[in-house]
Amino acid sequence: MLTIKCPWCGDRDLTEFAAGGEGHIARPLEPATQSDAEWGDYIYTRKNTKGIHYERWMHAQGCRRWFNAVRDTVSDEFLAFYKTGEPAPKVEGDGS
Amino acid sequence: MANPKSKYSIFSLVRNALSYHEGWEAQWRSPDPKSAYDVVIIGGGGHGLATAYYLAKEHGITNVAVLEKGWLGGGNTGRNTTIVRSNYLWDESAAIYDHAVNLWENLSQELNYNVMFSPRGLLHLAHNVHDMQEIQRRGNSNFMNGIDAEMLTPGQCQQLVPFMNLGCRYPVMGGVLQRRGGTARHDAVAWGYARAADALGVDIIQKCEVTGFDIENGVVRGVQTTRGNIGAGKVGVVTAGHSGVTAEMAGFRLPIESFPLQAFVSEPMKPVIDVVVMSNTVHAYISQSDKGELVIGGSGDPYISYSQRGCFDQVEHVVGPVIELYPIFSRVRMMRQWGGITDVTIDRSPVITKTPVENMMFNVGWGTGGFKATPGSGHVFAASLAKGEMHDIAAPFAMDRFHTGALIDEAAAAAVAH
């Protein structure tokens, strides 16, 4: 996994990118009604998947835009890249 | 049932030398699992084996099994940089890590096993004004908790390591020294605890992976493993690298993410550096093993992974600062590199906790700094399991802190333990 394909800039070296952790986490729409436990989970709890992981990256030393990627966390192989807002693609081997 | 062992001593060494060392007994048995145990410990690393040992030794609970999916100490116990220290900022951390250092000091005698604990001194370097303020604040906090800390000038740092390049890109402005810190032999810690626990009757079962839990009405009844189902009165989960996976089997989630942390070992050479030197700002940690190898660590990888090898560019991030600080190592060749999977929490403190499942406790999430805590962690976790209530030292590390916000924030405030 030495290159990452930025949806805007194309193939670039991994060192240009910053990892942003798990993707597709939606901020609660009604903050006032959230319990402490729900807020705690929203802020701190992540899937930490062993296998197919949907995650966010930023092209820190390029266009500085955020995007999403799908990576196998066992082999570190990237399986797909897509822009923020686009639906997550289905990839082979994804059990979820 | 106890399995007494012959005592290791100079005399046993001589006696066995006469028979060409062919007469040594096995250090622990490899029994088949029984149908049930009073306590089942999941994870046969240092923390798990220490827990089993103290359960048998201090609480008289000897009907205990330790289940290990690979081999003893084959996980992070055998993959760390063997550093021992207790100079943490917060009272809660200081309490548990200093409890461990106190146990380290007599561990070889206690276990009748040479764990090669070497309190050679541990030096933290400061490279900027913020670092100086941080080590002074932390040093003062250490004093208040009865932990030794000595502030050093750059000249004093140089006396400890004469070839250190003080005027490097991020110049050395000072340091803080914990003389009681140092290193220990990581494998020997696992083996010593295993041998001592086995002697007290603990069953150590290797190549036995836990695949699920038997939970009835919120109470744990046993574990499902690759070697059959095993009943359990209580279950202590002391895994590393996959704690989130284990928690999911039990039906709840833990706020843990798993990152690789790389380490490097050089070719062996003559004694050159006799303290442990850590630098959190440039992320270069170095010590020399008794075999003469330089043991080098750095910061964790930037994204979660279970690959156990780490990302490629991190190699340069670790080696670069080492060469800048110690130019004489520029032509030293690296012999091995590996990645350990560290279970990291948001506040870089462990999770030692009761769980939503009755009679099941977790002692996980030690992140990048678990080795140094091995004896203390096992000691307080054994007491918690035996009593069913968390030990005073362990109580602040409960999992509800991620909901109440009472974090023990070692990441932002002090040396990120490595």
Side-chain angles (χ1 to χ4, degrees):
Chain A
M1 58 167 292
L2 297 174
T3 54
I4 286 180
K5 188 176 182 184
C6 171
W8 286 278
C9 311
D11 284 329
R12 295 297 181 92
D13 197 290
L14 168 73
T15 55
E16 292 184 14
F17 295 85
E22 186 185 333
H24 300 287
I25 298 174
R27 186 180 167 84
L29 288 173
E30 295 189 33
T33 62
Q34 298 283 303
S35 69
D36 286 355
E38 286 166 329
W39 271 120
D41 285 342
Y42 164 69
I43 296 170
Y44 300 129
T45 307
R46 298 290 178 266
K47 281 190 185 141
N48 199 28
T49 313
K50 186 176 185 178
I52 307 296
H53 190 240
Y54 294 80
E55 58 190 15
R56 304 196 308 151
W57 285 80
M58 191 195 41
H59 195 180
Q61 290 168 43
C63 64
R64 298 199 59 77
R65 284 205 264 192
W66 286 92
F67 59 94
N68 292 320
V70 188
R71 179 171 59 94
D72 184 336
T73 58
V74 178
S75 66
D76 280 346
E77 183 188 2
F78 279 106
L79 302 169
F81 302 98
Y82 53 103
K83 293 176 183 172
T84 302
E86 290 178 357
K90 267 286 173 199
V91 296
E92 207 174 316
D94 178 16
S96 67
Chain B
M1 196 174 19
N3 308 281
K5 303 272 185 287
S6 65
K7 191 172 161 57
Y8 286 152
S9 67
I10 182 76
F11 304 109
S12 71
L13 186 64
V14 170
R15 196 167 55 247
N16 280 282
L18 295 176
S19 55
Y20 301 99
H21 294 296
E22 286 174 355
W24 292 105
E25 64 189 351
Q27 299 198 36
W28 54 82
R29 301 160 296 132
S30 295
D32 286 324
K34 291 194 273 186
S35 60
Y37 292 89
D38 292 344
V39 180
V40 169
I41 307 286
I42 300 170
H47 289 238
L49 292 163
T51 305
Y53 169 73
Y54 291 115
L55 270 175
K57 172 83 187 311
E58 303 210 340
H59 306 283
I61 303 173
T62 56
N63 187 20
V64 175
V66 178
L67 310 182
E68 166 57 46
K69 74 169 178 174
W71 64 95
L72 289 194
N76 288 354
T77 300
R79 288 174 172 268
N80 59 77
T81 49
T82 78
I83 294 171
V84 174
R85 65 186 179 90
S86 62
N87 54 357
Y88 280 66
L89 175 68
W90 298 111
D91 295 350
E92 296 87 348
S93 318
I96 194 161
Y97 289 106
D98 208 46
H99 186 52
V101 169
N102 288 332
L103 291 168
W104 275 114
E105 287 172 342
N106 287 313
L107 197 58
S108 293
Q109 289 78 4
E110 160 110 23
L111 299 178
N112 180 225
Y113 206 100
N114 188 4
V115 299
M116 296 166 76
F117 177 54
S118 165
R120 59 184 65 181
L122 181 137
L123 175 64
H124 277 274
L125 296 178
H127 298 274
N128 52 44
V129 173
H130 169 78
D131 278 3
M132 289 300 290
Q133 291 167 343
E134 190 273 319
I135 63 171
Q136 282 161 3
R137 178 184 180 211
R138 184 152 54 87
N140 285 330
S141 162
N142 293 158
F143 274 137
M144 308 262 285
N145 283 312
I147 296 168
D148 67 312
E150 240 171 89
M151 303 303 298
L152 303 188
T153 63
Q156 289 170 313
C157 294
Q158 186 119 59
Q159 278 180 348
L160 287 173
V161 187
F163 51 84
M164 185 187 289
N165 178 16
L166 295 181
C168 56
R169 182 172 171 195
Y170 297 100
V172 176
M173 295 177 69
V176 62
L177 177 68
Q178 184 182 19
R179 290 194 188 272
R180 289 166 69 221
T183 60
R185 172 78 204 281
H186 49 8
D187 294 328
V189 177
W191 298 336
Y193 272 122
R195 180 173 184 267
D198 183 85
L200 294 169
V202 172
D203 279 0
I204 294 163
I205 300 157
Q206 301 179 71
K207 294 182 187 160
C208 179
E209 183 169 358
V210 171
T211 53
F213 296 103
D214 292 325
I215 297 169
E216 288 173 23
N217 301 326
V219 184
V220 69
R221 299 288 182 206
V223 295
Q224 301 154 5
T225 76
T226 50
R227 295 179 65 176
N229 290 0
I230 302 173
K234 291 177 181 173
V235 173
V237 177
V238 200
T239 53
H242 300 80
S243 307
V245 179
T246 336
E248 244 166 63
M249 281 182 207
F252 60 96
R253 291 171 80 191
L254 279 177
I256 283 176
E257 289 191 279
S258 303
F259 296 87
L261 177 66
Q262 299 185 50
F264 307 84
V265 168
S266 77
E267 57 192 337
M269 48 196 191
K270 296 268 178 152
V272 58
I273 182 167
D274 63 357
V275 292
V276 183
V277 188
M278 305 179 59
S279 173
N280 300 315
T281 298
V282 298
H283 274 309
Y285 310 133
I286 194 162
S287 63
Q288 191 170 20
S289 75
D290 290 345
K291 283 189 283 185
E293 303 149 331
L294 295 176
V295 182
I296 294 170
S299 66
D301 279 13
Y303 46 81
I304 73 163
S305 173
Y306 292 87
S307 66
Q308 289 204 330
R309 56 172 185 261
C311 77
F312 203 55
D313 54 306
Q314 193 69 22
V315 176
E316 191 176 344
H317 288 304
V318 175
V319 175
V322 167
I323 293 172
E324 179 72 13
L325 263 173
Y326 315 103
I328 68 163
F329 294 148
S330 65
R331 280 175 294 159
V332 173
R333 280 164 296 193
M334 288 297 146
M335 201 163 61
R336 298 195 300 279
Q337 173 272 355
W338 67 90
I341 305 304
T342 58
D343 284 349
V344 177
T345 57
I346 194 71
D347 59 0
R348 301 302 197 267
S349 290
V351 182
I352 315 172
T353 188
K354 290 187 188 179
T355 67
V357 181
E358 191 79 14
N359 292 341
M360 180 189 281
M361 289 184 179
F362 269 59
N363 178 6
V364 298
W366 284 91
T368 54
F371 175 74
K372 65 176 79 68
T374 304
S377 155
H379 191 259
V380 299
F381 193 54
S384 307
L385 275 171
K387 295 200 178 69
E389 285 300 321
M390 300 317 291
H391 187 282
D392 285 349
I393 289 178
F397 298 97
M399 64 190 282
D400 68 358
R401 73 176 189 271
F402 301 104
H403 293 161
T404 62
L407 302 179
I408 303 161
D409 194 3
E410 288 293 347
V416 176
H418 164 244

